[in-house]
Amino acid sequence: MSSEKLVEALADLKEEKALKLVKEKLDAGEEPLKILEICRKAVEIVGKRFEDAEYFLPDLIMAGEILRRISEITKLDIEKAGEVKYLAKVVIGTVQGDIHNIGKDIVTFMLDANGFDVYDIGVDAPPQKFVEKIEEVKPEIVALSGFLTLAYDSMKKTVEAIEAAGQRNQIKIIIGGGHIDENVRRYTGADAYATSAAKGVRICKKWMEI
Amino acid sequence: MQEVDGNLAVKKSPKELYNERVERITTATSLKTPDRVPIVLGFNISFIARYGGVTVQELMYNYEKRAEIIERLMKAFPEADAIGSGGTLSGPVSDALGQGLYEIPGRELSPDVSFQFIERCNMKSEEYDMFTENPTEFLITKYFPRIFREEWNKGLTRAKIAMMKGIFAHNDHRAFWGNKRKKWESEFGMPMARSSMTKAPFDVLSDTLRGMRESSIDMYKRPEKIIKACEALVPYCVMYAELPHTLRIKDESTRKEMKPQIGMPLHRGCVPFMSLKQFETFYWPTLKEVICRLVADGFICRPFAEGDWTMNMKYWREVPKGKVILKIDLADIFKAKELVGDTVCLQGNVPATLLQFGTPKQVEKYCKKLIDVVGEGGGFIMDGAVGIPGGAKIENIVAMTKFTAKYGVYRR
């Protein structure tokens, strides 16, 4: 059975069709890991369509929902399964004092779809939590998210804590959110800023070429 | 923070000032040319706290303190034509009911930040029909027990008392600010920017009932149910905006009336929160209906297009002319003028980052462009993109108001 049909069903967000194809493959003795590889291909397409403004937030969420159900059937974690070769590791979180998760979640999805290994430390994350996660996973990139204007100060404190922990030279820091610009980047001491997930991913990919 | 003394050169009576300000805003709203570009300062609660040297937590409880700081701000920025008093939750109301919709300063959050909404699903997918058939019953029997920590559904005496305490606290809160509003109108001649608020039906559904994740999946799995639920929400969204006005005892001291402005923070309508097709299907029809009904009842609607609404701008051509003030955040306001400037009055949008990190010269430069392009022919109100944010520099707000008051005069 070709894998194109499943890729297409998933990329087109046809839930029942995709689940039916997965079950058929499992019944036919297909390795669950192979199925997950096919899923990754579809996720890449979904990410690309979001970048091209063909897909929007509800579509990303729906893609996530179908993947969740496939995970249930195959009993495997799609995010961390298989011998995927990642571009780089990214630690991401919404900074202290801010509990907005939507922007961060979009970026996480998009980084994942573009081949990054993403470690999400959640919302309202104190500087120390970033420092500890950086120590643990040794990422190439750290992404700080924030929706409120109070996030500027938390981002600055986080960058300072990373510096104080002696980790600054090993990583690139990108900040993102609605009300972010060059002024904020300079204030916080980050290396780059992005106001959309697509831009953020482009910057991360560019960093990894060097 | 340094206190500002903004003394006005010409002394006018509060009544004259009030009439003048109302006239200015009303004229701009109806897309005509006032004497100068009106200025609205929507102070964020975090800004009020910082200006007063107190925490946001204290302002949730100490109404007098908040009112006193707001009065100092009115004196500091007399060029303002209306001000926003920093919407926040009332501490007593929140505590009495044990609300669980928001994380609040001093409790889940640090004392100096604003309350924030908790993203969560509060209505099950199989409850759509029950909700649509009788929203009131659903809210009371299902929704309230889920969002208030006091357990209403168990019929406990404690829960009933909590409800009563909540109503008393709410009435206190309303009476306090209602009286302040009157005092500020008569003693300072200063109108309040917003008189009540409501939301887009889809935002009610997505924010507080189903949650972001579930409402997105519903677009695929049960689109008809979303549409029906939003339609059922329309009369509630209208009532929520109008109720405070039908309750308010009419002030007979016949001044010029400023038509009450209904604030409408729009959360999840613009690209990329949904596609234009999804917007046309799920978001816009019922939002437009709410706006049209409120306008028909004599109100001015003031939706806040939070985020970047550039892609969705054209739809605003469909609302009643001269009855809607569209507050612009990150959208291209100059393009908006071209597209919808003959239908809605535009308010905004000095960027939050410019107010916090820019210089007075840079602020003036941006304001000049706003006045020149968006202000052309009227139909424009100067404001910050997200009001006046917590970190805004005083000298930048001074630059924004003084420059607009001077340069924003329309030649007659």
mmCIF file of all heavy atoms in Angstrom, chain B residues 226-261:
data_model
loop_
_atom_site.group_PDB
_atom_site.id
_atom_site.type_symbol
_atom_site.label_atom_id
_atom_site.label_comp_id
_atom_site.label_asym_id
_atom_site.label_seq_id
_atom_site.Cartn_x
_atom_site.Cartn_y
_atom_site.Cartn_z
ATOM 1 N N ILE B 226 -21.541 25.012 16.130
ATOM 2 C CA ILE B 226 -20.916 26.309 16.452
ATOM 3 C C ILE B 226 -21.828 27.434 15.985
ATOM 4 O O ILE B 226 -22.114 28.374 16.728
ATOM 5 C CB ILE B 226 -19.549 26.498 15.743
ATOM 6 C CG1 ILE B 226 -18.558 25.413 16.148
ATOM 7 C CG2 ILE B 226 -18.985 27.881 16.041
ATOM 8 C CD1 ILE B 226 -17.182 25.612 15.543
ATOM 9 N N ILE B 227 -22.283 27.312 14.746
ATOM 10 C CA ILE B 227 -23.094 28.389 14.165
ATOM 11 C C ILE B 227 -24.368 28.599 14.997
ATOM 12 O O ILE B 227 -24.713 29.738 15.340
ATOM 13 C CB ILE B 227 -23.433 28.071 12.694
ATOM 14 C CG1 ILE B 227 -22.134 28.084 11.870
ATOM 15 C CG2 ILE B 227 -24.436 29.073 12.132
ATOM 16 C CD1 ILE B 227 -22.277 27.548 10.466
ATOM 17 N N LYS B 228 -25.028 27.505 15.358
ATOM 18 C CA LYS B 228 -26.263 27.617 16.149
ATOM 19 C C LYS B 228 -25.991 28.210 17.535
ATOM 20 O O LYS B 228 -26.763 29.034 18.027
ATOM 21 C CB LYS B 228 -26.916 26.244 16.280
ATOM 22 C CG LYS B 228 -27.507 25.752 14.968
ATOM 23 C CD LYS B 228 -28.841 25.037 15.197
ATOM 24 C CE LYS B 228 -29.674 25.035 13.938
ATOM 25 N NZ LYS B 228 -29.020 24.277 12.832
ATOM 26 N N ALA B 229 -24.903 27.787 18.152
ATOM 27 C CA ALA B 229 -24.559 28.313 19.483
ATOM 28 C C ALA B 229 -24.271 29.812 19.402
ATOM 29 O O ALA B 229 -24.697 30.587 20.268
ATOM 30 C CB ALA B 229 -23.366 27.565 20.057
ATOM 31 N N CYS B 230 -23.558 30.232 18.356
ATOM 32 C CA CYS B 230 -23.253 31.662 18.209
ATOM 33 C C CYS B 230 -24.537 32.456 17.994
ATOM 34 O O CYS B 230 -24.689 33.557 18.528
ATOM 35 C CB CYS B 230 -22.277 31.894 17.059
ATOM 36 S SG CYS B 230 -20.597 31.366 17.452
ATOM 37 N N GLU B 231 -25.451 31.894 17.205
ATOM 38 C CA GLU B 231 -26.726 32.587 16.988
ATOM 39 C C GLU B 231 -27.509 32.719 18.308
ATOM 40 O O GLU B 231 -28.111 33.744 18.585
ATOM 41 C CB GLU B 231 -27.560 31.834 15.940
ATOM 42 C CG GLU B 231 -27.042 32.076 14.531
ATOM 43 C CD GLU B 231 -27.631 31.127 13.489
ATOM 44 O OE1 GLU B 231 -28.405 30.222 13.863
ATOM 45 O OE2 GLU B 231 -27.293 31.311 12.298
ATOM 46 N N ALA B 232 -27.428 31.669 19.121
ATOM 47 C CA ALA B 232 -28.122 31.717 20.421
ATOM 48 C C ALA B 232 -27.478 32.747 21.346
ATOM 49 O O ALA B 232 -28.137 33.289 22.239
ATOM 50 C CB ALA B 232 -28.093 30.336 21.072
ATOM 51 N N LEU B 233 -26.207 33.035 21.110
ATOM 52 C CA LEU B 233 -25.493 33.987 21.969
ATOM 53 C C LEU B 233 -25.782 35.451 21.623
ATOM 54 O O LEU B 233 -25.553 36.337 22.444
ATOM 55 C CB LEU B 233 -23.983 33.736 21.898
ATOM 56 C CG LEU B 233 -23.444 32.675 22.857
ATOM 57 C CD1 LEU B 233 -22.060 32.191 22.414
ATOM 58 C CD2 LEU B 233 -23.355 33.241 24.285
ATOM 59 N N VAL B 234 -26.275 35.696 20.410
ATOM 60 C CA VAL B 234 -26.461 37.095 19.969
ATOM 61 C C VAL B 234 -27.274 37.925 20.973
ATOM 62 O O VAL B 234 -26.805 38.976 21.434
ATOM 63 C CB VAL B 234 -27.073 37.167 18.550
ATOM 64 C CG1 VAL B 234 -27.558 38.571 18.228
ATOM 65 C CG2 VAL B 234 -26.043 36.723 17.520
ATOM 66 N N PRO B 235 -28.500 37.485 21.363
ATOM 67 C CA PRO B 235 -29.262 38.328 22.307
ATOM 68 C C PRO B 235 -28.554 38.513 23.652
ATOM 69 O O PRO B 235 -28.705 39.557 24.296
ATOM 70 C CB PRO B 235 -30.579 37.571 22.495
ATOM 71 C CG PRO B 235 -30.395 36.232 21.878
ATOM 72 C CD PRO B 235 -29.262 36.312 20.918
ATOM 73 N N TYR B 236 -27.757 37.529 24.057
ATOM 74 C CA TYR B 236 -27.017 37.652 25.317
ATOM 75 C C TYR B 236 -25.912 38.695 25.200
ATOM 76 O O TYR B 236 -25.671 39.469 26.125
ATOM 77 C CB TYR B 236 -26.428 36.294 25.732
ATOM 78 C CG TYR B 236 -27.492 35.335 26.225
ATOM 79 C CD1 TYR B 236 -28.276 34.620 25.330
ATOM 80 C CD2 TYR B 236 -27.742 35.195 27.578
ATOM 81 C CE1 TYR B 236 -29.272 33.767 25.764
ATOM 82 C CE2 TYR B 236 -28.742 34.345 28.032
ATOM 83 C CZ TYR B 236 -29.512 33.634 27.121
ATOM 84 O OH TYR B 236 -30.495 32.805 27.572
ATOM 85 N N CYS B 237 -25.227 38.693 24.064
ATOM 86 C CA CYS B 237 -24.153 39.670 23.863
ATOM 87 C C CYS B 237 -24.725 41.087 23.816
ATOM 88 O O CYS B 237 -24.106 42.032 24.312
ATOM 89 C CB CYS B 237 -23.374 39.361 22.583
ATOM 90 S SG CYS B 237 -22.421 37.832 22.702
ATOM 91 N N VAL B 238 -25.917 41.233 23.212
ATOM 92 C CA VAL B 238 -26.572 42.548 23.162
ATOM 93 C C VAL B 238 -26.993 42.964 24.574
ATOM 94 O O VAL B 238 -26.720 44.080 25.019
ATOM 95 C CB VAL B 238 -27.795 42.512 22.209
ATOM 96 C CG1 VAL B 238 -28.587 43.812 22.299
ATOM 97 C CG2 VAL B 238 -27.337 42.266 20.777
ATOM 98 N N MET B 239 -27.605 42.022 25.284
ATOM 99 C CA MET B 239 -28.111 42.324 26.626
ATOM 100 C C MET B 239 -26.965 42.689 27.574
ATOM 101 O O MET B 239 -27.084 43.599 28.391
ATOM 102 C CB MET B 239 -28.862 41.096 27.146
ATOM 103 C CG MET B 239 -29.514 41.272 28.502
ATOM 104 S SD MET B 239 -30.579 39.865 28.888
ATOM 105 C CE MET B 239 -29.422 38.518 28.909
ATOM 106 N N TYR B 240 -25.859 41.974 27.449
ATOM 107 C CA TYR B 240 -24.713 42.224 28.325
ATOM 108 C C TYR B 240 -24.223 43.665 28.170
ATOM 109 O O TYR B 240 -23.847 44.313 29.146
ATOM 110 C CB TYR B 240 -23.580 41.246 27.990
ATOM 111 C CG TYR B 240 -22.465 41.238 28.989
ATOM 112 C CD1 TYR B 240 -22.649 40.669 30.252
ATOM 113 C CD2 TYR B 240 -21.226 41.801 28.687
ATOM 114 C CE1 TYR B 240 -21.625 40.658 31.182
ATOM 115 C CE2 TYR B 240 -20.199 41.791 29.616
ATOM 116 C CZ TYR B 240 -20.401 41.221 30.864
ATOM 117 O OH TYR B 240 -19.391 41.212 31.780
ATOM 118 N N ALA B 241 -24.274 44.173 26.947
ATOM 119 C CA ALA B 241 -23.842 45.555 26.701
ATOM 120 C C ALA B 241 -24.874 46.552 27.196
ATOM 121 O O ALA B 241 -24.541 47.608 27.721
ATOM 122 C CB ALA B 241 -23.596 45.750 25.205
ATOM 123 N N GLU B 242 -26.166 46.199 27.039
ATOM 124 C CA GLU B 242 -27.218 47.194 27.285
ATOM 125 C C GLU B 242 -27.695 47.259 28.737
ATOM 126 O O GLU B 242 -28.151 48.294 29.196
ATOM 127 C CB GLU B 242 -28.413 46.916 26.365
ATOM 128 C CG GLU B 242 -28.076 47.152 24.897
ATOM 129 C CD GLU B 242 -29.282 47.041 23.982
ATOM 130 O OE1 GLU B 242 -30.364 46.641 24.457
ATOM 131 O OE2 GLU B 242 -29.141 47.379 22.794
ATOM 132 N N LEU B 243 -27.568 46.136 29.430
ATOM 133 C CA LEU B 243 -28.119 46.050 30.780
ATOM 134 C C LEU B 243 -27.655 47.176 31.712
ATOM 135 O O LEU B 243 -28.476 47.800 32.391
ATOM 136 C CB LEU B 243 -27.805 44.679 31.390
ATOM 137 C CG LEU B 243 -28.786 44.195 32.461
ATOM 138 C CD1 LEU B 243 -30.210 44.178 31.913
ATOM 139 C CD2 LEU B 243 -28.402 42.798 32.945
ATOM 140 N N PRO B 244 -26.344 47.475 31.751
ATOM 141 C CA PRO B 244 -25.912 48.549 32.658
ATOM 142 C C PRO B 244 -26.596 49.882 32.362
ATOM 143 O O PRO B 244 -26.769 50.704 33.256
ATOM 144 C CB PRO B 244 -24.407 48.648 32.390
ATOM 145 C CG PRO B 244 -24.033 47.331 31.807
ATOM 146 C CD PRO B 244 -25.229 46.870 31.029
ATOM 147 N N HIS B 245 -27.012 50.079 31.106
ATOM 148 C CA HIS B 245 -27.614 51.367 30.746
ATOM 149 C C HIS B 245 -29.078 51.439 31.127
ATOM 150 O O HIS B 245 -29.570 52.477 31.520
ATOM 151 C CB HIS B 245 -27.431 51.624 29.247
ATOM 152 C CG HIS B 245 -25.998 51.660 28.874
ATOM 153 N ND1 HIS B 245 -25.216 52.761 29.047
ATOM 154 C CD2 HIS B 245 -25.173 50.685 28.430
ATOM 155 C CE1 HIS B 245 -23.977 52.485 28.688
ATOM 156 N NE2 HIS B 245 -23.923 51.227 28.316
ATOM 157 N N THR B 246 -29.775 50.319 30.990
ATOM 158 C CA THR B 246 -31.179 50.340 31.383
ATOM 159 C C THR B 246 -31.294 50.453 32.899
ATOM 160 O O THR B 246 -32.291 50.898 33.425
ATOM 161 C CB THR B 246 -31.911 49.068 30.897
ATOM 162 O OG1 THR B 246 -31.139 47.946 31.279
ATOM 163 C CG2 THR B 246 -32.078 49.071 29.405
ATOM 164 N N LEU B 247 -30.228 50.044 33.605
ATOM 165 C CA LEU B 247 -30.265 50.131 35.056
ATOM 166 C C LEU B 247 -29.846 51.504 35.567
ATOM 167 O O LEU B 247 -30.212 51.904 36.652
ATOM 168 C CB LEU B 247 -29.334 49.079 35.670
ATOM 169 C CG LEU B 247 -29.781 47.626 35.547
ATOM 170 C CD1 LEU B 247 -28.725 46.713 36.143
ATOM 171 C CD2 LEU B 247 -31.109 47.420 36.258
ATOM 172 N N ARG B 248 -29.066 52.214 34.757
ATOM 173 C CA ARG B 248 -28.539 53.486 35.242
ATOM 174 C C ARG B 248 -29.643 54.536 35.349
ATOM 175 O O ARG B 248 -30.418 54.735 34.418
ATOM 176 C CB ARG B 248 -27.431 53.990 34.311
ATOM 177 C CG ARG B 248 -26.725 55.205 34.873
ATOM 178 C CD ARG B 248 -25.606 55.626 33.964
ATOM 179 N NE ARG B 248 -24.574 54.597 33.887
ATOM 180 C CZ ARG B 248 -23.735 54.465 32.879
ATOM 181 N NH1 ARG B 248 -23.780 55.275 31.862
ATOM 182 N NH2 ARG B 248 -22.828 53.522 32.901
ATOM 183 N N ILE B 249 -29.706 55.191 36.498
ATOM 184 C CA ILE B 249 -30.719 56.235 36.677
ATOM 185 C C ILE B 249 -30.301 57.438 35.842
ATOM 186 O O ILE B 249 -29.156 57.873 35.882
ATOM 187 C CB ILE B 249 -30.823 56.641 38.161
ATOM 188 C CG1 ILE B 249 -31.325 55.440 38.964
ATOM 189 C CG2 ILE B 249 -31.761 57.835 38.327
ATOM 190 C CD1 ILE B 249 -31.069 55.543 40.439
ATOM 191 N N LYS B 250 -31.214 57.912 35.061
ATOM 192 C CA LYS B 250 -30.875 58.962 34.117
ATOM 193 C C LYS B 250 -30.513 60.261 34.838
ATOM 194 O O LYS B 250 -31.199 60.711 35.735
ATOM 195 C CB LYS B 250 -32.045 59.206 33.171
ATOM 196 C CG LYS B 250 -31.567 59.725 31.851
ATOM 197 C CD LYS B 250 -32.490 59.345 30.708
ATOM 198 C CE LYS B 250 -32.080 60.087 29.443
ATOM 199 N NZ LYS B 250 -30.687 59.919 29.080
ATOM 200 N N ASP B 251 -29.387 60.812 34.416
ATOM 201 C CA ASP B 251 -28.935 62.072 34.988
ATOM 202 C C ASP B 251 -29.622 63.195 34.214
ATOM 203 O O ASP B 251 -29.449 63.345 33.011
ATOM 204 C CB ASP B 251 -27.410 62.158 34.842
ATOM 205 C CG ASP B 251 -26.872 63.426 35.450
ATOM 206 O OD1 ASP B 251 -27.667 64.187 36.023
ATOM 207 O OD2 ASP B 251 -25.664 63.655 35.357
ATOM 208 N N GLU B 252 -30.444 63.986 34.900
ATOM 209 C CA GLU B 252 -31.290 64.951 34.202
ATOM 210 C C GLU B 252 -30.638 66.315 33.983
ATOM 211 O O GLU B 252 -31.251 67.218 33.430
ATOM 212 C CB GLU B 252 -32.613 65.139 34.964
ATOM 213 C CG GLU B 252 -33.468 63.882 35.087
ATOM 214 C CD GLU B 252 -33.917 63.315 33.743
ATOM 215 O OE1 GLU B 252 -33.925 64.067 32.754
ATOM 216 O OE2 GLU B 252 -34.243 62.120 33.683
ATOM 217 N N SER B 253 -29.401 66.459 34.402
ATOM 218 C CA SER B 253 -28.763 67.781 34.312
ATOM 219 C C SER B 253 -28.357 68.108 32.872
ATOM 220 O O SER B 253 -27.253 68.556 32.608
ATOM 221 C CB SER B 253 -27.540 67.828 35.228
ATOM 222 O OG SER B 253 -26.608 66.860 34.798
ATOM 223 N N THR B 254 -29.264 67.828 31.958
ATOM 224 C CA THR B 254 -29.123 67.999 30.512
ATOM 225 C C THR B 254 -27.842 68.643 29.990
ATOM 226 O O THR B 254 -27.794 69.820 29.669
ATOM 227 C CB THR B 254 -30.307 68.837 29.968
ATOM 228 O OG1 THR B 254 -30.317 70.065 30.685
ATOM 229 C CG2 THR B 254 -31.606 68.086 30.108
ATOM 230 N N ARG B 255 -26.824 67.801 29.894
ATOM 231 C CA ARG B 255 -25.633 68.249 29.156
ATOM 232 C C ARG B 255 -25.761 67.657 27.769
ATOM 233 O O ARG B 255 -26.677 66.936 27.462
ATOM 234 C CB ARG B 255 -24.362 67.701 29.812
ATOM 235 C CG ARG B 255 -24.189 68.128 31.221
ATOM 236 C CD ARG B 255 -23.185 67.205 31.835
ATOM 237 N NE ARG B 255 -23.592 65.821 31.551
ATOM 238 C CZ ARG B 255 -23.670 64.906 32.492
ATOM 239 N NH1 ARG B 255 -23.383 65.201 33.732
ATOM 240 N NH2 ARG B 255 -24.024 63.674 32.193
ATOM 241 N N LYS B 256 -24.779 67.961 26.962
ATOM 242 C CA LYS B 256 -24.688 67.250 25.689
ATOM 243 C C LYS B 256 -24.488 65.785 26.044
ATOM 244 O O LYS B 256 -23.735 65.461 26.943
ATOM 245 C CB LYS B 256 -23.452 67.728 24.934
ATOM 246 C CG LYS B 256 -23.693 68.890 24.020
ATOM 247 C CD LYS B 256 -22.380 69.237 23.351
ATOM 248 C CE LYS B 256 -22.443 70.567 22.644
ATOM 249 N NZ LYS B 256 -23.375 70.620 21.527
ATOM 250 N N GLU B 257 -25.155 64.929 25.351
ATOM 251 C CA GLU B 257 -25.013 63.502 25.649
ATOM 252 C C GLU B 257 -23.949 62.889 24.760
ATOM 253 O O GLU B 257 -23.938 63.102 23.552
ATOM 254 C CB GLU B 257 -26.348 62.778 25.415
ATOM 255 C CG GLU B 257 -27.267 62.815 26.616
ATOM 256 C CD GLU B 257 -26.715 62.068 27.831
ATOM 257 O OE1 GLU B 257 -26.110 60.999 27.633
ATOM 258 O OE2 GLU B 257 -26.897 62.565 28.955
ATOM 259 N N MET B 258 -23.055 62.145 25.387
ATOM 260 C CA MET B 258 -22.174 61.340 24.558
ATOM 261 C C MET B 258 -22.844 59.987 24.448
ATOM 262 O O MET B 258 -23.185 59.373 25.450
ATOM 263 C CB MET B 258 -20.796 61.180 25.181
ATOM 264 C CG MET B 258 -19.861 60.389 24.289
ATOM 265 S SD MET B 258 -18.134 60.789 24.498
ATOM 266 C CE MET B 258 -17.567 59.412 25.458
ATOM 267 N N LYS B 259 -23.075 59.536 23.238
ATOM 268 C CA LYS B 259 -23.697 58.228 23.073
ATOM 269 C C LYS B 259 -22.821 57.179 23.719
ATOM 270 O O LYS B 259 -21.612 57.166 23.510
ATOM 271 C CB LYS B 259 -23.868 57.916 21.587
ATOM 272 C CG LYS B 259 -25.074 58.574 20.986
ATOM 273 C CD LYS B 259 -25.425 57.890 19.685
ATOM 274 C CE LYS B 259 -26.709 58.456 19.132
ATOM 275 N NZ LYS B 259 -27.043 57.883 17.829
ATOM 276 N N PRO B 260 -23.410 56.297 24.529
ATOM 277 C CA PRO B 260 -22.588 55.298 25.200
ATOM 278 C C PRO B 260 -21.818 54.425 24.201
ATOM 279 O O PRO B 260 -22.380 53.966 23.214
ATOM 280 C CB PRO B 260 -23.616 54.457 25.963
ATOM 281 C CG PRO B 260 -24.825 55.293 26.063
ATOM 282 C CD PRO B 260 -24.818 56.191 24.863
ATOM 283 N N GLN B 261 -20.529 54.282 24.481
ATOM 284 C CA GLN B 261 -19.684 53.448 23.620
ATOM 285 C C GLN B 261 -19.533 52.065 24.239
ATOM 286 O O GLN B 261 -19.157 51.937 25.394
ATOM 287 C CB GLN B 261 -18.293 54.082 23.480
ATOM 288 C CG GLN B 261 -18.300 55.360 22.676
ATOM 289 C CD GLN B 261 -16.894 55.897 22.481
ATOM 290 O OE1 GLN B 261 -15.905 55.248 22.816
ATOM 291 N NE2 GLN B 261 -16.805 57.091 21.920
#
